[in-house]
Amino acid sequence: MIATVTLNPALDQHVEVDNLVLDDTNRWVSFKRQPGGKGINVSRVLRELGGETVAYGFIGGHAGDDIERLLKEEGVHTDFTRIKTEIRSNFIITDLKTHRQTRISAPGPRVTPGEFKKLLDRITGLKPRPQYIIFAGSVPPGVPYYIYRELIDRMKVLGIRTVLDAADMWLIEGIHARPDIIKPNVREAQTLLGVELKTEEDIICAVKTIVGMGVGIAAISRGPDGMIIADGNVILKVVPPQVEVMSTVGAGDSTVAGLVFKLSEGGSLEEASRLAVAAGTAATLTPGTELCHKEDVERLLPLVKVEKMPN
Ligand SMILES: Nc1ncnc2c1ncn2[C@@H]1O[C@H](COP(=O)(O)OP(=O)(O)OP(=O)(O)O)[C@@H](O)[C@H]1O
Ligand SMILES: [Mg+2]
C-alpha cells in the first residue's frame, strides 16, 4: 500500500470560457469541480494505474465534504483528519480561444495545534503500515514549516519508505531527514541548492549532489524534456515523445505516482523512471485539472527514451 499525505488539499474549481474578457461578464462553456492538492492527485493517479492507496491529510467544511465524496466516487480510499475551518478552493480559468490558463490559489485554512497533533498521531499510528508514504505539496498556516522533516524522521523509524514532493522551505527543511525519494522540478531544485541549473550537465550535477546529501533517489523533472534521475549507482536521462499539450496541471504529481508505483512493485529504477515520465506526459494530454489516463500511459510507455549517463 502507498499512503499519501496532503496537508493543504484544495477543491479545484475549473471553468472553461470561450474568449475571456476582463472587466465584463463571461459565460462558461463548462464547469468542473475536482479534488486537488498534490498528495490527493498522486493517490488518484495510483488508483488509475491500479495501485493500492490511502489518502491522508486535513479536510474541513463543505469543500472538504465535496472532496471526500468525489474521491469516493473515483474509488480512492481516504482517512482524513477533520479540521474546523473550511479547506481552500482553487480557481482555474481556461480560455478555449487562446489556450491560456489563469490559476488563482488560496493559502489554506489555519490549523490549530490540537488538529495538528491529531494528524501526527494518525500518521504515526498507521495500520497496516504502508510500504511507501508520499508527502506532497504546501503546508497550511498553523503547521510548523519543519513538519516534513519531523514526519519523515518518524516514518523512517517505522521502516516506511518516504517520498517528499514539496518546494521552498518545506523541501529545504525536509531534506535534512534524508527522504528515500524527492522529485523537484528544475525551479524547485534551484531553490534547494541555491544555484542556477541551466544545462543538462548542471542538472546531472544537481541530482548527484542531492544523492550526496543522503537522499536515496533524486529525480529532477524538466517539463517537455522529461527527467534526470539518480540513485547511488546510476544516472538516467528519461525523455518523453513530443506530444500536443492540453494542460500541464498535475503532470508532476502523475510522475511521482508512476515512479513510486513501479518501485513498490519491485521494478528497477529504469522501469520506474519510464513509467514516471509516461504518466507525467500522459497528464499533459488531458484538459484542465484532469490527470493521466491509463490507456495514454500504456501507449506512451514504449516511446519514452531512457539513456544511461556517465557517472
Ligand atoms: N510540455 C510537456 N510535454 C511533454 N511532457 C511534459 C510536458 N510538461 C510536463 N511533462 C511531463 O510531466 C513531467 C513533470 O513535469 P514538470 O517538470 O513540469 O513537473 P512539475 O513542475 O513538478 O509539475 P506540477 O506542477 O504538477 O508539480 C515531465 O517529466 C514530463 O514527463
Ligand atoms: Mg511538482
Side-chain angles (χ1 to χ4, degrees):
M1 200 274 277
I2 301 168
T4 66
V5 179
T6 311
L7 299 177
N8 206 1
L11 183 64
D12 285 337
Q13 316 229 31
H14 183 213
V15 185
E16 288 181 319
V17 295
D18 228 341
N19 183 13
L20 183 67
V21 185
L22 298 180
D23 248 348
D24 206 348
T25 304
N26 294 266
R27 283 182 190 284
W28 55 255
V29 176
S30 78
F31 173 62
K32 232 188 225 166
R33 297 198 305 167
Q34 284 195 312
K38 289 192 176 293
I40 287 176
N41 280 346
V42 173
S43 274
R44 294 172 65 209
V45 175
L46 284 168
R47 176 86 189 108
E48 173 74 15
L49 297 177
E52 231 190 286
T53 179
V54 178
Y56 295 87
F58 292 118
I59 211 80
H62 293 303
D65 296 340
D66 285 342
I67 288 197
E68 276 191 315
R69 183 179 47 76
L70 289 164
L71 287 174
K72 200 169 176 193
E73 279 169 21
E74 281 186 34
V76 176
H77 296 296
T78 62
D79 188 3
F80 289 120
T81 301
R82 278 263 148 201
I83 57 173
K84 257 176 83 184
T85 326
E86 169 129 345
I87 56 142
R88 64 196 172 130
S89 284
N90 289 333
F91 301 90
I92 302 125
I93 305 164
T94 302
D95 185 333
L96 295 171
K97 193 164 169 210
T98 60
H99 295 288
R100 291 176 110 173
Q101 210 173 55
T102 308
R103 304 184 208 169
I104 301 164
S105 294
R110 180 160 285 278
V111 176
T112 67
E115 291 166 341
F116 172 54
K117 180 163 185 312
K118 239 165 82 182
L119 179 107
L120 218 55
D121 290 346
R122 179 159 311 181
I123 291 177
T124 39
L126 291 188
K127 286 219 174 66
R129 291 212 174 127
Q131 191 184 358
Y132 280 89
I133 188 159
I134 301 173
F135 299 102
S138 60
V139 173
V143 176
Y145 70 96
Y146 51 81
I147 179 62
Y148 288 139
R149 179 179 187 165
E150 187 167 336
L151 285 168
I152 291 166
D153 274 337
R154 291 191 186 204
M155 293 299 104
K156 286 180 96 171
V157 172
L158 301 174
I160 299 169
R161 295 210 182 111
T162 53
V163 183
L164 179 60
D165 183 13
D168 304 327
M169 61 195 163
W170 303 303
L171 176 59
I172 291 171
E173 192 58 30
I175 207 162
H176 287 297
R178 301 172 181 190
D180 291 282
I181 303 174
I182 70 165
K183 191 230 57 76
N185 59 27
V186 174
R187 192 174 19 82
E188 290 159 351
Q190 288 185 151
T191 311
L192 172 69
L193 300 172
V195 291
E196 265 195 82
L197 304 173
K198 284 197 197 131
T199 63
E200 192 172 296
E201 287 68 41
D202 292 343
I203 299 176
I204 291 174
C205 190
V207 287
K208 285 203 272 191
T209 305
I210 296 169
V211 170
M213 292 161 95
V215 173
I217 296 174
I220 298 182
S221 65
R222 36 198 312 239
D225 296 326
M227 161 176 106
I228 293 191
I229 186 166
D231 60 10
N233 301 312
V234 282
I235 303 168
L236 304 173
K237 174 178 158 186
V238 195
V239 182
Q242 232 187 355
V243 295
E244 204 172 313
V245 173
M246 292 282 286
S247 157
T248 59
V249 177
D253 308 332
S254 301
T255 306
V256 172
L259 184 69
V260 179
F261 177 53
K262 199 57 174 188
L263 289 173
S264 77
E265 284 193 318
S268 65
L269 190 72
E270 177 175 340
E271 289 169 317
S273 304
R274 192 182 283 281
L275 186 65
V277 167
T281 299
T284 70
L285 303 178
T286 57
T289 50
E290 230 179 277
L291 301 169
C292 62
H293 295 165
K294 197 175 180 188
E295 310 83 72
D296 290 330
V297 179
E298 280 166 357
R299 188 168 48 79
L300 290 172
L301 206 51
L303 305 175
V304 174
K305 290 205 178 79
V306 183
E307 191 186 334
K308 208 168 157 186
M309 307 306 278
N311 272 1

